[in-house]
Amino acid sequence: MTLSNRTQMHFEKYLSSNPSTFMVTVDGRNSYYRYCPDTACRTEPVTAGLYNCEKFYGKECRIYAVKDKVVWQFDDQYQPIEETLKNAKSAKLDMDWSGVLDGHPTQMHFDKGLEGKLTLISDETGECKGDFSLNEKPGSTRYPGDWRLECAKGQKAKGKLTLTTTRSGEIQFINASGKDRDDTYVRMYLSY
């Protein structure tokens, strides 16, 4: 894939900002980026940027760069999601649970096929166990799914998640959001 002159100029502008994530349409003609207006802000979930890029251009978008590092290889061979999860075995997530946990480490274990387990332990919740399942989308690099979590001290939460891979099968992003039974927001995202 070749980036258009306009996309190349947009990428240079992106690099001169406080860069967060740079997305391009799969044809390389258009781009969309997110930046952090100050050094202390937190990055929004990448899936929000992908959604906005695709909504604006009406085409599939992919991650081209995170911060100042190009992360996507457009000429990679596609690897099925089952192979990706089998090779990855697990992923570390950070969880934000409003009023309960902030940036707490959570483990995502890929047990079988498109399903797996979630685990975390904290003083606020005790041991939490849950599961997730992804929906197969052959030829895609984005897999939507559902998750749920129950904790020893009575907290429960559930929601939707999206796992995004490179075409060669590396997990690029995981973004999960939902609510607990008190209608409090819960977010999980891939820890870097």
Side-chain angles (χ1 to χ4, degrees):
M1 192 217 22
T2 304
L3 298 179
S4 68
N5 288 339
R6 179 179 151 176
T7 298
Q8 289 176 23
M9 290 184 344
H10 207 199
F11 187 59
E12 289 173 20
K13 183 178 178 184
Y14 158 81
L15 290 173
S16 68
S17 68
N18 191 2
S20 173
T21 313
F22 190 84
M23 288 134 289
V24 298
T25 55
V26 291
D27 60 10
R29 292 183 178 188
N30 302 295
S31 58
Y32 181 90
Y33 70 86
R34 300 173 71 83
Y35 68 95
C36 186
D38 67 51
T39 57
C41 72
R42 271 184 93 141
T43 307
E44 289 289 322
V46 171
T47 51
L50 283 170
Y51 171 82
N52 290 331
C53 180
E54 291 175 354
K55 183 177 176 186
F56 187 78
Y57 292 112
K59 298 178 182 178
E60 183 179 359
C61 292
R62 303 259 175 89
I63 305 300
Y64 183 76
V66 175
K67 301 196 187 238
D68 62 353
K69 181 181 177 190
V70 174
V71 296
W72 187 257
Q73 300 296 318
F74 287 94
D75 54 0
D76 286 345
Q77 295 297 313
Y78 172 75
Q79 178 173 311
I81 186 66
E82 292 84 358
E83 285 299 310
T84 296
L85 299 182
K86 186 170 121 183
N87 294 336
K89 295 186 176 126
S90 68
K92 291 181 182 177
L93 305 176
D94 286 331
M95 175 183 280
D96 291 331
W97 191 334
S98 298
V100 180
L101 300 169
D102 184 25
H104 195 81
T106 305
Q107 280 292 123
M108 183 178 224
H109 304 278
F110 306 114
D111 292 343
K112 54 186 178 197
L114 301 174
E115 299 174 356
K117 304 287 183 210
L118 296 169
T119 57
L120 75 95
I121 299 174
S122 79
D123 292 338
E124 295 83 3
T125 63
E127 183 178 26
C128 299
K129 293 182 179 182
D131 54 42
F132 68 91
S133 63
L134 300 169
N135 300 317
E136 185 170 6
K137 294 177 74 178
S140 179
T141 58
R142 291 187 9 200
Y143 302 89
D146 300 295
W147 64 271
R148 68 184 181 90
L149 196 63
E150 294 185 23
C151 302
K153 294 188 178 179
Q155 299 94 335
K156 293 182 181 182
K158 64 182 178 178
K160 301 288 183 187
L161 69 90
T162 302
L163 183 142
T164 305
T165 67
T166 65
R167 290 195 68 74
S168 62
E170 294 177 51
I171 294 174
Q172 217 175 16
F173 300 100
I174 298 172
N175 182 46
S177 61
K179 293 185 176 182
D180 66 14
R181 63 181 177 196
D182 296 325
D183 218 26
T184 302
Y185 286 102
V186 180
R187 275 186 45 211
M188 292 181 280
Y189 43 91
L190 191 59
S191 179
Y192 290 99

mmCIF file of all heavy atoms in Angstrom, residues 55-99:
data_model
loop_
_atom_site.group_PDB
_atom_site.id
_atom_site.type_symbol
_atom_site.label_atom_id
_atom_site.label_comp_id
_atom_site.label_asym_id
_atom_site.label_seq_id
_atom_site.Cartn_x
_atom_site.Cartn_y
_atom_site.Cartn_z
ATOM 1 N N LYS A 55 -16.345 6.022 9.893
ATOM 2 C CA LYS A 55 -17.589 6.770 9.748
ATOM 3 C C LYS A 55 -17.376 7.980 8.834
ATOM 4 O O LYS A 55 -18.189 8.259 7.957
ATOM 5 C CB LYS A 55 -18.079 7.223 11.124
ATOM 6 C CG LYS A 55 -19.394 7.939 11.105
ATOM 7 C CD LYS A 55 -19.838 8.293 12.509
ATOM 8 C CE LYS A 55 -21.100 9.103 12.469
ATOM 9 N NZ LYS A 55 -21.486 9.586 13.792
ATOM 10 N N PHE A 56 -16.266 8.688 9.002
ATOM 11 C CA PHE A 56 -15.989 9.887 8.229
ATOM 12 C C PHE A 56 -15.726 9.576 6.756
ATOM 13 O O PHE A 56 -16.239 10.250 5.866
ATOM 14 C CB PHE A 56 -14.796 10.650 8.832
ATOM 15 C CG PHE A 56 -14.556 11.982 8.196
ATOM 16 C CD1 PHE A 56 -15.350 13.065 8.513
ATOM 17 C CD2 PHE A 56 -13.538 12.143 7.269
ATOM 18 C CE1 PHE A 56 -15.138 14.294 7.927
ATOM 19 C CE2 PHE A 56 -13.313 13.368 6.670
ATOM 20 C CZ PHE A 56 -14.118 14.452 6.999
ATOM 21 N N TYR A 57 -14.921 8.539 6.478
ATOM 22 C CA TYR A 57 -14.531 8.232 5.105
ATOM 23 C C TYR A 57 -15.396 7.169 4.437
ATOM 24 O O TYR A 57 -15.319 6.973 3.226
ATOM 25 C CB TYR A 57 -13.058 7.810 5.037
ATOM 26 C CG TYR A 57 -12.135 8.954 5.354
ATOM 27 C CD1 TYR A 57 -11.384 8.954 6.513
ATOM 28 C CD2 TYR A 57 -12.024 10.057 4.498
ATOM 29 C CE1 TYR A 57 -10.539 10.014 6.818
ATOM 30 C CE2 TYR A 57 -11.188 11.114 4.803
ATOM 31 C CZ TYR A 57 -10.454 11.082 5.952
ATOM 32 O OH TYR A 57 -9.628 12.133 6.250
ATOM 33 N N GLY A 58 -16.183 6.433 5.219
ATOM 34 C CA GLY A 58 -17.012 5.386 4.635
ATOM 35 C C GLY A 58 -16.207 4.218 4.090
ATOM 36 O O GLY A 58 -16.656 3.504 3.199
ATOM 37 N N LYS A 59 -14.999 4.023 4.629
ATOM 38 C CA LYS A 59 -14.108 2.944 4.200
ATOM 39 C C LYS A 59 -13.493 2.308 5.433
ATOM 40 O O LYS A 59 -13.424 2.925 6.490
ATOM 41 C CB LYS A 59 -12.960 3.488 3.342
ATOM 42 C CG LYS A 59 -13.380 4.148 2.065
ATOM 43 C CD LYS A 59 -12.152 4.674 1.349
ATOM 44 C CE LYS A 59 -12.518 5.392 0.071
ATOM 45 N NZ LYS A 59 -11.343 5.936 -0.595
ATOM 46 N N GLU A 60 -12.986 1.086 5.274
ATOM 47 C CA GLU A 60 -12.280 0.428 6.372
ATOM 48 C C GLU A 60 -10.987 1.178 6.672
ATOM 49 O O GLU A 60 -10.266 1.587 5.767
ATOM 50 C CB GLU A 60 -11.957 -1.017 6.003
ATOM 51 C CG GLU A 60 -11.293 -1.771 7.145
ATOM 52 C CD GLU A 60 -10.982 -3.219 6.807
ATOM 53 O OE1 GLU A 60 -11.290 -3.676 5.692
ATOM 54 O OE2 GLU A 60 -10.407 -3.880 7.680
ATOM 55 N N CYS A 61 -10.714 1.389 7.933
ATOM 56 C CA CYS A 61 -9.482 2.053 8.375
ATOM 57 C C CYS A 61 -8.659 1.073 9.201
ATOM 58 O O CYS A 61 -9.204 0.155 9.817
ATOM 59 C CB CYS A 61 -9.799 3.286 9.224
ATOM 60 S SG CYS A 61 -10.579 4.621 8.294
ATOM 61 N N ARG A 62 -7.362 1.303 9.234
ATOM 62 C CA ARG A 62 -6.441 0.479 10.020
ATOM 63 C C ARG A 62 -5.477 1.386 10.760
ATOM 64 O O ARG A 62 -5.209 2.511 10.339
ATOM 65 C CB ARG A 62 -5.638 -0.445 9.104
ATOM 66 C CG ARG A 62 -6.486 -1.347 8.241
ATOM 67 C CD ARG A 62 -6.542 -2.745 8.806
ATOM 68 N NE ARG A 62 -7.431 -3.596 8.063
ATOM 69 C CZ ARG A 62 -7.112 -4.326 7.021
ATOM 70 N NH1 ARG A 62 -5.893 -4.288 6.547
ATOM 71 N NH2 ARG A 62 -7.997 -5.087 6.440
ATOM 72 N N ILE A 63 -4.909 0.868 11.835
ATOM 73 C CA ILE A 63 -3.902 1.604 12.596
ATOM 74 C C ILE A 63 -2.614 1.624 11.791
ATOM 75 O O ILE A 63 -2.126 0.586 11.371
ATOM 76 C CB ILE A 63 -3.638 0.930 13.961
ATOM 77 C CG1 ILE A 63 -4.931 0.770 14.750
ATOM 78 C CG2 ILE A 63 -2.587 1.710 14.748
ATOM 79 C CD1 ILE A 63 -5.653 2.029 15.063
ATOM 80 N N TYR A 64 -2.048 2.810 11.609
ATOM 81 C CA TYR A 64 -0.772 2.945 10.913
ATOM 82 C C TYR A 64 0.360 3.195 11.908
ATOM 83 O O TYR A 64 1.440 2.650 11.765
ATOM 84 C CB TYR A 64 -0.838 4.080 9.894
ATOM 85 C CG TYR A 64 0.420 4.229 9.079
ATOM 86 C CD1 TYR A 64 0.701 3.353 8.045
ATOM 87 C CD2 TYR A 64 1.343 5.240 9.362
ATOM 88 C CE1 TYR A 64 1.859 3.470 7.303
ATOM 89 C CE2 TYR A 64 2.501 5.368 8.626
ATOM 90 C CZ TYR A 64 2.761 4.483 7.598
ATOM 91 O OH TYR A 64 3.906 4.600 6.870
ATOM 92 N N ALA A 65 0.088 4.044 12.932
ATOM 93 C CA ALA A 65 1.131 4.358 13.914
ATOM 94 C C ALA A 65 0.518 4.576 15.283
ATOM 95 O O ALA A 65 -0.610 5.045 15.409
ATOM 96 C CB ALA A 65 1.908 5.605 13.491
ATOM 97 N N VAL A 66 1.289 4.214 16.302
ATOM 98 C CA VAL A 66 0.953 4.519 17.688
ATOM 99 C C VAL A 66 2.088 5.376 18.210
ATOM 100 O O VAL A 66 3.259 4.985 18.117
ATOM 101 C CB VAL A 66 0.793 3.237 18.534
ATOM 102 C CG1 VAL A 66 0.569 3.577 20.000
ATOM 103 C CG2 VAL A 66 -0.330 2.379 17.994
ATOM 104 N N LYS A 67 1.714 6.545 18.705
ATOM 105 C CA LYS A 67 2.703 7.567 19.072
ATOM 106 C C LYS A 67 3.558 7.834 17.836
ATOM 107 O O LYS A 67 3.007 8.102 16.787
ATOM 108 C CB LYS A 67 3.482 7.177 20.297
ATOM 109 C CG LYS A 67 2.538 6.965 21.486
ATOM 110 C CD LYS A 67 3.222 6.952 22.783
ATOM 111 C CE LYS A 67 2.219 6.579 23.837
ATOM 112 N NZ LYS A 67 1.975 7.395 24.866
ATOM 113 N N ASP A 68 4.881 7.716 17.899
ATOM 114 C CA ASP A 68 5.698 8.002 16.712
ATOM 115 C C ASP A 68 6.238 6.733 16.050
ATOM 116 O O ASP A 68 7.137 6.776 15.233
ATOM 117 C CB ASP A 68 6.842 8.948 17.067
ATOM 118 C CG ASP A 68 7.792 8.361 18.100
ATOM 119 O OD1 ASP A 68 7.497 7.281 18.650
ATOM 120 O OD2 ASP A 68 8.824 8.988 18.368
ATOM 121 N N LYS A 69 5.641 5.570 16.378
ATOM 122 C CA LYS A 69 6.123 4.298 15.832
ATOM 123 C C LYS A 69 5.111 3.719 14.838
ATOM 124 O O LYS A 69 3.946 3.511 15.179
ATOM 125 C CB LYS A 69 6.347 3.305 16.976
ATOM 126 C CG LYS A 69 6.853 1.974 16.518
ATOM 127 C CD LYS A 69 7.023 1.023 17.685
ATOM 128 C CE LYS A 69 7.475 -0.337 17.178
ATOM 129 N NZ LYS A 69 7.422 -1.337 18.223
ATOM 130 N N VAL A 70 5.560 3.443 13.620
ATOM 131 C CA VAL A 70 4.715 2.770 12.636
ATOM 132 C C VAL A 70 4.573 1.318 13.083
ATOM 133 O O VAL A 70 5.560 0.636 13.316
ATOM 134 C CB VAL A 70 5.325 2.863 11.220
ATOM 135 C CG1 VAL A 70 4.515 2.035 10.232
ATOM 136 C CG2 VAL A 70 5.417 4.315 10.779
ATOM 137 N N VAL A 71 3.314 0.869 13.222
ATOM 138 C CA VAL A 71 3.056 -0.470 13.759
ATOM 139 C C VAL A 71 2.425 -1.424 12.755
ATOM 140 O O VAL A 71 2.320 -2.605 13.028
ATOM 141 C CB VAL A 71 2.153 -0.402 15.018
ATOM 142 C CG1 VAL A 71 2.845 0.324 16.144
ATOM 143 C CG2 VAL A 71 0.810 0.208 14.688
ATOM 144 N N TRP A 72 1.985 -0.950 11.627
ATOM 145 C CA TRP A 72 1.257 -1.801 10.686
ATOM 146 C C TRP A 72 2.087 -2.131 9.473
ATOM 147 O O TRP A 72 2.709 -1.260 8.885
ATOM 148 C CB TRP A 72 -0.019 -1.083 10.253
ATOM 149 C CG TRP A 72 -0.894 -1.956 9.425
ATOM 150 C CD1 TRP A 72 -1.046 -1.900 8.083
ATOM 151 C CD2 TRP A 72 -1.720 -3.007 9.877
ATOM 152 N NE1 TRP A 72 -1.916 -2.860 7.664
ATOM 153 C CE2 TRP A 72 -2.349 -3.564 8.757
ATOM 154 C CE3 TRP A 72 -1.971 -3.552 11.129
ATOM 155 C CZ2 TRP A 72 -3.227 -4.632 8.847
ATOM 156 C CZ3 TRP A 72 -2.849 -4.597 11.212
ATOM 157 C CH2 TRP A 72 -3.465 -5.125 10.081
ATOM 158 N N GLN A 73 2.082 -3.372 9.097
ATOM 159 C CA GLN A 73 2.722 -3.830 7.864
ATOM 160 C C GLN A 73 1.605 -4.270 6.928
ATOM 161 O O GLN A 73 1.005 -5.305 7.120
ATOM 162 C CB GLN A 73 3.678 -5.003 8.151
ATOM 163 C CG GLN A 73 4.794 -4.671 9.098
ATOM 164 C CD GLN A 73 5.720 -3.610 8.523
ATOM 165 O OE1 GLN A 73 6.051 -3.648 7.354
ATOM 166 N NE2 GLN A 73 6.112 -2.669 9.345
ATOM 167 N N PHE A 74 1.296 -3.475 5.937
ATOM 168 C CA PHE A 74 0.143 -3.730 5.081
ATOM 169 C C PHE A 74 0.305 -4.918 4.154
ATOM 170 O O PHE A 74 -0.672 -5.426 3.647
ATOM 171 C CB PHE A 74 -0.192 -2.476 4.256
ATOM 172 C CG PHE A 74 -0.805 -1.411 5.105
ATOM 173 C CD1 PHE A 74 -0.014 -0.420 5.659
ATOM 174 C CD2 PHE A 74 -2.151 -1.406 5.379
ATOM 175 C CE1 PHE A 74 -0.577 0.557 6.452
ATOM 176 C CE2 PHE A 74 -2.724 -0.437 6.170
ATOM 177 C CZ PHE A 74 -1.931 0.552 6.708
ATOM 178 N N ASP A 75 1.503 -5.371 3.911
ATOM 179 C CA ASP A 75 1.680 -6.487 2.993
ATOM 180 C C ASP A 75 1.855 -7.820 3.712
ATOM 181 O O ASP A 75 2.217 -8.810 3.112
ATOM 182 C CB ASP A 75 2.856 -6.243 2.050
ATOM 183 C CG ASP A 75 4.145 -5.916 2.803
ATOM 184 O OD1 ASP A 75 4.129 -5.877 4.039
ATOM 185 O OD2 ASP A 75 5.162 -5.690 2.131
ATOM 186 N N ASP A 76 1.560 -7.871 5.028
ATOM 187 C CA ASP A 76 1.637 -9.123 5.772
ATOM 188 C C ASP A 76 0.584 -10.108 5.279
ATOM 189 O O ASP A 76 -0.448 -9.724 4.758
ATOM 190 C CB ASP A 76 1.394 -8.892 7.271
ATOM 191 C CG ASP A 76 2.570 -8.238 7.950
ATOM 192 O OD1 ASP A 76 3.657 -8.224 7.355
ATOM 193 O OD2 ASP A 76 2.384 -7.744 9.071
ATOM 194 N N GLN A 77 0.837 -11.375 5.485
ATOM 195 C CA GLN A 77 -0.136 -12.405 5.166
ATOM 196 C C GLN A 77 -1.125 -12.522 6.322
ATOM 197 O O GLN A 77 -0.770 -12.409 7.487
ATOM 198 C CB GLN A 77 0.563 -13.750 4.950
ATOM 199 C CG GLN A 77 1.484 -13.757 3.758
ATOM 200 C CD GLN A 77 0.715 -13.526 2.473
ATOM 201 O OE1 GLN A 77 -0.316 -14.138 2.247
ATOM 202 N NE2 GLN A 77 1.209 -12.636 1.637
ATOM 203 N N TYR A 78 -2.357 -12.783 5.989
ATOM 204 C CA TYR A 78 -3.416 -12.928 6.981
ATOM 205 C C TYR A 78 -3.237 -14.206 7.787
ATOM 206 O O TYR A 78 -2.917 -15.251 7.240
ATOM 207 C CB TYR A 78 -4.771 -12.941 6.268
ATOM 208 C CG TYR A 78 -5.909 -13.264 7.175
ATOM 209 C CD1 TYR A 78 -6.370 -12.326 8.072
ATOM 210 C CD2 TYR A 78 -6.503 -14.508 7.156
ATOM 211 C CE1 TYR A 78 -7.413 -12.621 8.929
ATOM 212 C CE2 TYR A 78 -7.538 -14.813 8.001
ATOM 213 C CZ TYR A 78 -7.990 -13.858 8.887
ATOM 214 O OH TYR A 78 -9.014 -14.159 9.736
ATOM 215 N N GLN A 79 -3.450 -14.110 9.112
ATOM 216 C CA GLN A 79 -3.421 -15.286 9.978
ATOM 217 C C GLN A 79 -4.766 -15.386 10.684
ATOM 218 O O GLN A 79 -5.226 -14.413 11.271
ATOM 219 C CB GLN A 79 -2.308 -15.183 11.022
ATOM 220 C CG GLN A 79 -2.296 -16.372 11.974
ATOM 221 C CD GLN A 79 -1.096 -16.365 12.888
ATOM 222 O OE1 GLN A 79 0.019 -16.202 12.441
ATOM 223 N NE2 GLN A 79 -1.325 -16.548 14.173
ATOM 224 N N PRO A 80 -5.422 -16.544 10.656
ATOM 225 C CA PRO A 80 -6.725 -16.691 11.311
ATOM 226 C C PRO A 80 -6.644 -16.378 12.807
ATOM 227 O O PRO A 80 -5.626 -16.619 13.450
ATOM 228 C CB PRO A 80 -7.080 -18.162 11.086
ATOM 229 C CG PRO A 80 -6.242 -18.588 9.927
ATOM 230 C CD PRO A 80 -4.995 -17.757 9.992
ATOM 231 N N ILE A 81 -7.727 -15.873 13.357
ATOM 232 C CA ILE A 81 -7.768 -15.455 14.763
ATOM 233 C C ILE A 81 -7.478 -16.619 15.707
ATOM 234 O O ILE A 81 -6.837 -16.440 16.736
ATOM 235 C CB ILE A 81 -9.117 -14.776 15.108
ATOM 236 C CG1 ILE A 81 -9.106 -14.194 16.528
ATOM 237 C CG2 ILE A 81 -10.276 -15.731 14.941
ATOM 238 C CD1 ILE A 81 -8.154 -13.050 16.737
ATOM 239 N N GLU A 82 -7.909 -17.825 15.377
ATOM 240 C CA GLU A 82 -7.659 -18.969 16.257
ATOM 241 C C GLU A 82 -6.160 -19.189 16.445
ATOM 242 O O GLU A 82 -5.704 -19.500 17.541
ATOM 243 C CB GLU A 82 -8.299 -20.246 15.709
ATOM 244 C CG GLU A 82 -9.814 -20.236 15.717
ATOM 245 C CD GLU A 82 -10.411 -19.544 14.489
ATOM 246 O OE1 GLU A 82 -9.657 -19.034 13.624
ATOM 247 O OE2 GLU A 82 -11.641 -19.490 14.407
ATOM 248 N N GLU A 83 -5.375 -19.026 15.379
ATOM 249 C CA GLU A 83 -3.922 -19.169 15.477
ATOM 250 C C GLU A 83 -3.322 -18.051 16.320
ATOM 251 O O GLU A 83 -2.414 -18.269 17.111
ATOM 252 C CB GLU A 83 -3.279 -19.175 14.083
ATOM 253 C CG GLU A 83 -3.483 -20.463 13.338
ATOM 254 C CD GLU A 83 -2.876 -21.658 14.059
ATOM 255 O OE1 GLU A 83 -1.701 -21.590 14.461
ATOM 256 O OE2 GLU A 83 -3.588 -22.667 14.230
ATOM 257 N N THR A 84 -3.833 -16.844 16.139
ATOM 258 C CA THR A 84 -3.361 -15.694 16.913
ATOM 259 C C THR A 84 -3.539 -15.957 18.405
ATOM 260 O O THR A 84 -2.614 -15.798 19.196
ATOM 261 C CB THR A 84 -4.131 -14.416 16.523
ATOM 262 O OG1 THR A 84 -3.845 -14.113 15.169
ATOM 263 C CG2 THR A 84 -3.762 -13.239 17.415
ATOM 264 N N LEU A 85 -4.735 -16.371 18.805
ATOM 265 C CA LEU A 85 -5.026 -16.583 20.221
ATOM 266 C C LEU A 85 -4.255 -17.780 20.766
ATOM 267 O O LEU A 85 -3.794 -17.762 21.897
ATOM 268 C CB LEU A 85 -6.525 -16.761 20.427
ATOM 269 C CG LEU A 85 -7.371 -15.567 20.000
ATOM 270 C CD1 LEU A 85 -8.840 -15.834 20.296
ATOM 271 C CD2 LEU A 85 -6.917 -14.275 20.647
ATOM 272 N N LYS A 86 -4.093 -18.813 19.963
ATOM 273 C CA LYS A 86 -3.322 -19.987 20.385
ATOM 274 C C LYS A 86 -1.871 -19.592 20.659
ATOM 275 O O LYS A 86 -1.267 -20.025 21.641
ATOM 276 C CB LYS A 86 -3.398 -21.056 19.290
ATOM 277 C CG LYS A 86 -2.773 -22.375 19.660
ATOM 278 C CD LYS A 86 -3.120 -23.401 18.603
ATOM 279 C CE LYS A 86 -1.839 -23.937 18.009
ATOM 280 N NZ LYS A 86 -2.065 -24.884 16.941
ATOM 281 N N ASN A 87 -1.315 -18.751 19.812
ATOM 282 C CA ASN A 87 0.071 -18.315 19.981
ATOM 283 C C ASN A 87 0.225 -17.322 21.125
ATOM 284 O O ASN A 87 1.234 -17.314 21.816
ATOM 285 C CB ASN A 87 0.592 -17.699 18.682
ATOM 286 C CG ASN A 87 0.683 -18.713 17.563
ATOM 287 O OD1 ASN A 87 0.794 -19.911 17.815
ATOM 288 N ND2 ASN A 87 0.605 -18.256 16.337
ATOM 289 N N ALA A 88 -0.760 -16.459 21.329
ATOM 290 C CA ALA A 88 -0.663 -15.413 22.347
ATOM 291 C C ALA A 88 -0.827 -15.969 23.762
ATOM 292 O O ALA A 88 -0.187 -15.514 24.696
ATOM 293 C CB ALA A 88 -1.702 -14.327 22.093
ATOM 294 N N LYS A 89 -1.707 -16.924 23.964
ATOM 295 C CA LYS A 89 -2.017 -17.556 25.251
ATOM 296 C C LYS A 89 -2.691 -16.624 26.243
ATOM 297 O O LYS A 89 -3.651 -16.989 26.885
ATOM 298 C CB LYS A 89 -0.782 -18.197 25.869
ATOM 299 C CG LYS A 89 -0.272 -19.343 25.036
ATOM 300 C CD LYS A 89 0.860 -20.059 25.716
ATOM 301 C CE LYS A 89 1.236 -21.231 24.856
ATOM 302 N NZ LYS A 89 2.566 -21.340 24.466
ATOM 303 N N SER A 90 -2.165 -15.387 26.427
ATOM 304 C CA SER A 90 -2.796 -14.447 27.358
ATOM 305 C C SER A 90 -2.409 -13.020 26.989
ATOM 306 O O SER A 90 -1.495 -12.799 26.201
ATOM 307 C CB SER A 90 -2.391 -14.742 28.805
ATOM 308 O OG SER A 90 -1.031 -14.448 29.004
ATOM 309 N N ALA A 91 -3.144 -12.078 27.568
ATOM 310 C CA ALA A 91 -2.840 -10.659 27.371
ATOM 311 C C ALA A 91 -3.057 -9.946 28.696
ATOM 312 O O ALA A 91 -3.920 -10.321 29.489
ATOM 313 C CB ALA A 91 -3.741 -10.058 26.290
ATOM 314 N N LYS A 92 -2.254 -8.920 28.939
ATOM 315 C CA LYS A 92 -2.425 -8.106 30.139
ATOM 316 C C LYS A 92 -3.280 -6.900 29.774
ATOM 317 O O LYS A 92 -3.012 -6.198 28.804
ATOM 318 C CB LYS A 92 -1.076 -7.644 30.668
ATOM 319 C CG LYS A 92 -0.248 -8.761 31.229
ATOM 320 C CD LYS A 92 1.071 -8.264 31.764
ATOM 321 C CE LYS A 92 1.893 -9.440 32.265
ATOM 322 N NZ LYS A 92 3.206 -9.026 32.719
ATOM 323 N N LEU A 93 -4.311 -6.672 30.585
ATOM 324 C CA LEU A 93 -5.209 -5.544 30.389
ATOM 325 C C LEU A 93 -5.128 -4.634 31.604
ATOM 326 O O LEU A 93 -4.786 -5.073 32.699
ATOM 327 C CB LEU A 93 -6.656 -6.015 30.231
ATOM 328 C CG LEU A 93 -6.953 -7.046 29.150
ATOM 329 C CD1 LEU A 93 -8.410 -7.455 29.215
ATOM 330 C CD2 LEU A 93 -6.620 -6.499 27.786
ATOM 331 N N ASP A 94 -5.451 -3.363 31.413
ATOM 332 C CA ASP A 94 -5.665 -2.444 32.529
ATOM 333 C C ASP A 94 -7.163 -2.217 32.628
ATOM 334 O O ASP A 94 -7.850 -2.112 31.607
ATOM 335 C CB ASP A 94 -4.950 -1.114 32.295
ATOM 336 C CG ASP A 94 -3.449 -1.226 32.473
ATOM 337 O OD1 ASP A 94 -3.007 -2.078 33.263
ATOM 338 O OD2 ASP A 94 -2.721 -0.471 31.829
ATOM 339 N N MET A 95 -7.677 -2.158 33.859
ATOM 340 C CA MET A 95 -9.106 -1.972 34.065
ATOM 341 C C MET A 95 -9.368 -0.675 34.814
ATOM 342 O O MET A 95 -8.701 -0.376 35.799
ATOM 343 C CB MET A 95 -9.699 -3.132 34.862
ATOM 344 C CG MET A 95 -11.174 -2.927 35.202
ATOM 345 S SD MET A 95 -11.853 -4.248 36.210
ATOM 346 C CE MET A 95 -12.138 -5.476 34.964
ATOM 347 N N ASP A 96 -10.325 0.078 34.322
ATOM 348 C CA ASP A 96 -10.851 1.246 35.031
ATOM 349 C C ASP A 96 -12.308 0.936 35.362
ATOM 350 O O ASP A 96 -13.125 0.733 34.465
ATOM 351 C CB ASP A 96 -10.786 2.513 34.164
ATOM 352 C CG ASP A 96 -9.365 2.979 33.931
ATOM 353 O OD1 ASP A 96 -8.514 2.725 34.796
ATOM 354 O OD2 ASP A 96 -9.118 3.600 32.889
ATOM 355 N N TRP A 97 -12.605 0.873 36.655
ATOM 356 C CA TRP A 97 -13.956 0.580 37.119
ATOM 357 C C TRP A 97 -14.316 1.749 38.028
ATOM 358 O O TRP A 97 -13.867 1.814 39.172
ATOM 359 C CB TRP A 97 -13.958 -0.730 37.864
ATOM 360 C CG TRP A 97 -15.284 -1.337 38.202
ATOM 361 C CD1 TRP A 97 -16.475 -0.707 38.374
ATOM 362 C CD2 TRP A 97 -15.532 -2.725 38.431
ATOM 363 N NE1 TRP A 97 -17.443 -1.597 38.689
ATOM 364 C CE2 TRP A 97 -16.899 -2.853 38.733
ATOM 365 C CE3 TRP A 97 -14.737 -3.860 38.413
ATOM 366 C CZ2 TRP A 97 -17.485 -4.086 39.017
ATOM 367 C CZ3 TRP A 97 -15.325 -5.080 38.700
ATOM 368 C CH2 TRP A 97 -16.688 -5.190 38.992
ATOM 369 N N SER A 98 -15.066 2.697 37.523
ATOM 370 C CA SER A 98 -15.359 3.957 38.212
ATOM 371 C C SER A 98 -15.727 3.720 39.668
ATOM 372 O O SER A 98 -16.665 2.988 39.976
ATOM 373 C CB SER A 98 -16.501 4.698 37.518
ATOM 374 O OG SER A 98 -16.144 5.020 36.209
ATOM 375 N N GLY A 99 -14.960 4.333 40.562
ATOM 376 C CA GLY A 99 -15.215 4.238 41.990
ATOM 377 C C GLY A 99 -14.762 2.929 42.623
ATOM 378 O O GLY A 99 -14.875 2.759 43.827
#
